[in-house]
Structure formats: C-alpha cells, structure tokens
Amino acid sequence: MVVVCAATKSVRVFWITIVIIMAASLLRANALVQTKRPKSGGKVRLVWHRRDLRLHDNWLYSNLESDESPVVISLFIFNKLDFQPRPSTCRPNEWDAVNIGPHAARILLDSVQDLRASLRAKGGELIIRKSSNVADVICKLISEQNGSIYEVYWNEEPGMIELQQSKLVKRAIQDRFPDVQIETSMQYTLYHPDDLPNGKMEWQHQLSPNKPKNRRRSTRQQQNTSSVATQIPPSGPKGLERWDGMPKIMGDFRKAARNKTKPRKCKPAPAQLQVPEIISSDSGECPTLEELTNPLVDCKRPILGLSKELVAKIVDNSKNRSRKTNQSSFSSSTTGGEKAGLQHLSDFLANHGSTAERNLAETNPNNSAHISHYLAFGCLSPRKIVEEASNCVDSEECRWVISHMTMRDFFLYTCMASGP
C-alpha cells in the first residue's frame, strides 16, 4: 500500500512538472511575439526625411534601441510650395522661378519611391504626405500615434528657407508636444561641422599648423583668412561665431579642413525595422509627375526668362524621360534613388574614374561623374563617395572625386556662414 501511494505521488509530481514547463514555454513565446510585434503604444521614433533619401550612412537611423527590429515611422512630405512658381530674385516684376523644376521633380519621385521600397524590404514603411504646411503634417502624425512617438529626428540643411522651415517645425512640436524630444544634425556635407575648426584662431592655426601661433601673418594670408559674413539664423546647427575666420578661398578651406580632421566613417544601414500597426493602412501615395509640374505649365509669366511654350517642352521632355526610365531603357545615371546611385558610382569608379578627362567640361558619361542629382537629394552620402573612391582599384587616379567633395563642402559652408 505504501509502495502504491509513493508511486502515485511520483506520477503527480511528474505531471505537475510537465505542466509548469509548458506554461513557462508559452509565456516565453508570448513575450517573444510581443517583442517582435509591439503595440502602437510602444516607443516610436519619427524620422522626417528631407534631402537625405537613403538608408546607408544616415544618422536618422542611428542610436536606436538595442531591439533587433526598432519601431520607426519614416516620413517624406512633398511640399507644394516647392513646385509653385514664385517671383524671381533677379527680376521679380518680370519672371518667376521654382524651387524644384520638372527634371528635378522626376528625380525626386524616383528617389522617394526607391526609399519606400528599401524601407519595406527591411520591414519599415515610408509615409508620404502632400502639403504646404510641413509643421502641421508632422504634428498631426504625432497626435495620431496617441503619445507613442517620443522623439523626432531630422537633418538640418544649408539655406535660409530650409533653416526657417526647421525652426517652424521645432517651435510647433515644442508648443504642442513638450515631452517629445527633438534631435537634429547636419549630415549633408563630407565634414561634420563639429569636426571643423571652431572660430577665427583655430582656422588660422590649421592653415599653418607648424608655425608658432604668435608669428605675424603676411598681408595676403590675412586677406585669405578674413571671416565671411556670419549671419547664420539661430535655428542653424552652429552659432554666429562658429564660422568666424573661415577662409574665402577654396584651397585654404580644404587645407585647414584636412589638417584638422578626417571625414567620419559611414554608418551602416539599419538591418531591420518595423512600424506601428496603425500606420500600415494609411501610408499615402506619391504624386504623379503631371501633378507636380502642372503649376509650371499653367504659369502665365516666364520661368527664369523661358517662355511658356519652352517651359511646356521642358516639362514634356521630363515626362518622356520618366516613361523611358520605367521601361528600363535608360542607364542608372539618368534615374534617381539610392540603389541607382550606388550602382552608378561603382560603375563609374571601376570603368571611367581614372581616365576621365575633366578639363573638357563636357557631359559625356565617361568624363563626368554624373552624381550631382544623387547628392542633391541625398541618395548618395558624400562620405560614401569618398569611401568608394579611396577603396577602388585606381584610387590614386580617382582622388579628384574626393577633392570635389571637399570643394562642395566649401560652397555649402560658405552659404551657411553667409546667411540670408
């Protein structure tokens, strides 16, 4: 009898143990599912894409939580004001101008669609909106997420209008959502502004790092290192004194920058992303090229001196190129997007970069890099271009590409320092 009771007790202990193990396994599985598919109430980063339409070397996707699939809402806004004719600065009473013309609009559409495809391949999504009030779109999106968005990231851009727009967005978010963190940075250039000389004394020292600091400079050097106008708006990434002493001559800027620092390493693209479920059903659609260029066609005044008839022909040409691109009859250099940009850069450096006759100043694809439109919309990072040029087979013969990226920085920082 004692033996039977002991056996029965052992069986009960055995089955209780099995039940406990199964329950623990179910709990772990449930926790794993919740980790991979978080509810919309979890912490979410809102990424506002501007002219940074890429995933490689993009600060917007750095410093995310250690989760394998961080929750991110990526946003791009087609600002209607960019496509509306406005009075030209040179002849405001006679001509109109436009921020984004027909061919740039075509490249922009390619780039946005490519970014959306890249995000979707990693589990993310690109929300597309069309509005002339950027701040209102961003605040509405934050409100719709019911408090789950805890930080908003975007890149600053050189230019008066761009800096003013950034300032308006910051103010709107701070007024309506004081608990939401705002993070902005300058990622449009080869050299990060934090790495460049800071102030007049440091700029002067980096031009002649081996000379004693108290040595009297020549009159010519004083002229070359005289400060540019420092009227950068308060919303910019650096204060007024930041650019005091920056050289006016490109060669001096390049020398000082190279003596002071090196370009930062490229950041890797995010491996995996996910979006809140509430976003999935309302991601928005890209406008058509016709929709973006109609204001140009309907404009009654000349666009930068071009007649209405000639403007219409340029618009038609952009539409024809768009159709040919969709039929895959054009090379990658005539399309927009990160994927096409990386492919074109690799092909050019491997086959033409070392033999390009740049002094001819022609548009032949063998003698010109054809990467300006990829840089303009941020499909290619200048650091990525320098990295690829440094690592290609004929790297010494391709150093001119690196030099051109530094030249680009000179003009961008001059623009930033000069202000409105």
Side-chain angles (χ1 to χ4, degrees):
M1 184 70 177
V2 174
V3 175
V4 173
C5 290
T8 303
K9 186 176 180 179
S10 299
V11 171
R12 288 178 179 175
V13 171
F14 171 78
W15 285 111
I16 290 173
T17 304
I18 294 297
V19 170
I20 292 173
I21 293 173
M22 293 178 64
S25 299
L26 288 173
L27 288 173
R28 284 196 298 270
N30 185 50
L32 183 61
V33 170
Q34 290 180 352
T35 299
K36 290 188 175 182
R37 298 179 60 84
K39 297 179 180 179
S40 58
K43 288 187 175 182
V44 177
R45 174 185 294 182
L46 174 59
V47 168
W48 171 30
H49 279 277
R50 303 175 78 187
R51 289 178 179 255
D52 43 39
L53 304 178
R54 65 177 185 272
L55 292 183
H56 76 270
D57 194 28
N58 199 330
W59 163 86
L60 300 177
Y61 294 94
S62 64
N63 302 323
L64 288 164
E65 294 179 354
S66 58
D67 297 341
E68 293 182 0
S69 301
V71 185
V72 177
I73 298 176
S74 303
L75 171 69
F76 182 82
I77 303 171
F78 284 91
N79 191 337
K80 295 180 180 180
L81 298 179
D82 286 335
F83 307 93
Q84 292 285 350
R86 53 173 175 76
S88 168
T89 54
C90 56
R91 293 190 179 182
N93 297 324
E94 302 175 35
W95 297 349
D96 281 344
V98 66
N99 291 346
I100 299 179
H103 287 291
R106 173 178 61 84
I107 296 294
L108 176 60
L109 285 172
D110 289 344
S111 305
V112 171
Q113 291 166 351
D114 180 74
L115 177 61
R116 169 174 271 186
S118 297
L119 284 166
R120 286 177 173 175
K122 294 179 179 293
E125 178 60 277
L126 180 65
I127 309 305
I128 296 175
R129 297 290 183 262
K130 294 170 278 187
S131 176
S132 56
N133 192 331
V134 173
D136 185 63
V137 171
I138 293 176
C139 288
K140 183 179 179 181
L141 195 55
I142 295 174
S143 179
E144 290 173 349
Q145 292 303 300
N146 300 320
S148 63
I149 293 178
Y150 74 105
E151 59 182 3
V152 183
Y153 274 52
W154 72 82
N155 278 317
E156 300 284 2
E157 297 177 1
M160 180 184 67
I161 295 176
E162 291 81 0
L163 290 172
Q164 288 177 344
Q165 185 181 72
S166 177
K167 184 178 179 180
L168 290 173
V169 173
K170 285 180 183 177
R171 184 182 302 163
I173 295 175
Q174 290 168 348
D175 289 346
R176 294 182 58 182
F177 309 98
D179 294 332
V180 174
Q181 301 175 20
I182 298 174
E183 297 287 346
T184 67
S185 183
M186 179 69 175
Q187 301 289 321
Y188 198 65
T189 53
L190 173 63
Y191 293 105
H192 193 281
D194 290 347
D195 301 336
L196 289 173
N198 189 345
K200 189 173 184 179
M201 292 298 296
E202 191 172 358
W203 280 108
Q204 293 172 357
H205 174 64
Q206 293 302 330
L207 277 174
S208 303
N210 297 325
K211 293 182 180 180
K213 291 186 178 181
N214 60 351
R215 183 172 179 175
R216 187 174 180 179
R217 295 171 301 145
S218 66
T219 303
R220 181 177 181 277
Q221 188 180 7
Q222 289 181 12
Q223 293 174 350
N224 291 349
T225 60
S226 60
S227 62
V228 296
T230 52
Q231 302 174 6
I232 184 171
S235 62
K238 289 295 174 185
L240 299 179
E241 72 285 354
R242 179 65 177 81
W243 308 107
D244 188 22
M246 192 184 88
K248 289 183 177 180
I249 296 178
M250 181 166 49
D252 288 345
F253 171 86
R254 180 166 49 204
K255 179 180 178 181
R258 289 178 176 175
N259 285 339
K260 175 67 167 62
T261 187
K262 293 181 179 180
R264 296 184 178 185
K265 293 183 178 180
C266 290
K267 297 181 181 296
Q272 197 70 23
L273 296 169
Q274 56 182 326
V275 297
E277 294 180 1
I278 192 173
I279 284 294
S280 302
S281 60
D282 187 23
S283 57
E285 294 297 332
C286 274
T288 63
L289 185 56
E290 289 77 7
E291 184 180 344
L292 296 181
T293 55
N294 278 341
L296 272 177
V297 176
D298 297 336
C299 185
K300 301 189 182 301
R301 299 206 308 173
I303 302 295
L304 294 177
L306 302 178
S307 67
K308 183 179 178 67
E309 292 74 21
L310 186 54
V311 169
K313 289 182 179 180
I314 295 173
V315 171
D316 287 340
N317 183 268
S318 69
K319 293 177 182 178
N320 290 334
R321 287 202 171 204
S322 179
R323 284 190 287 269
K324 290 180 179 180
T325 299
N326 293 334
Q327 297 169 1
S328 300
S329 59
F330 268 44
S331 65
S332 62
S333 65
T334 62
T335 62
E338 178 183 18
K339 182 179 179 181
L342 291 171
Q343 176 185 341
H344 172 69
L345 176 65
S346 176
D347 177 72
F348 178 78
L349 291 175
N351 300 308
H352 310 294
S354 61
T355 58
E357 297 184 49
R358 306 180 306 284
N359 60 315
L360 299 178
E362 64 178 14
T363 58
N364 185 302
N366 296 342
N367 292 322
S368 175
H370 283 257
I371 55 177
S372 59
H373 53 297
Y374 297 120
L375 285 165
F377 290 114
C379 304
L380 284 179
S381 157
R383 287 190 290 263
K384 182 65 173 178
I385 293 172
V386 167
E387 183 180 273
E388 292 295 317
S390 300
N391 296 331
C392 68
V393 176
D394 296 319
S395 58
E396 284 300 317
E397 298 297 328
C398 291
R399 289 193 62 81
W400 64 271
V401 178
I402 301 174
S403 180
H404 282 203
M405 292 300 100
T406 310
M407 291 164 56
R408 175 177 179 268
D409 266 24
F410 169 75
F411 290 112
L412 288 172
Y413 282 120
T414 299
C415 171
M416 187 180 297
S418 299

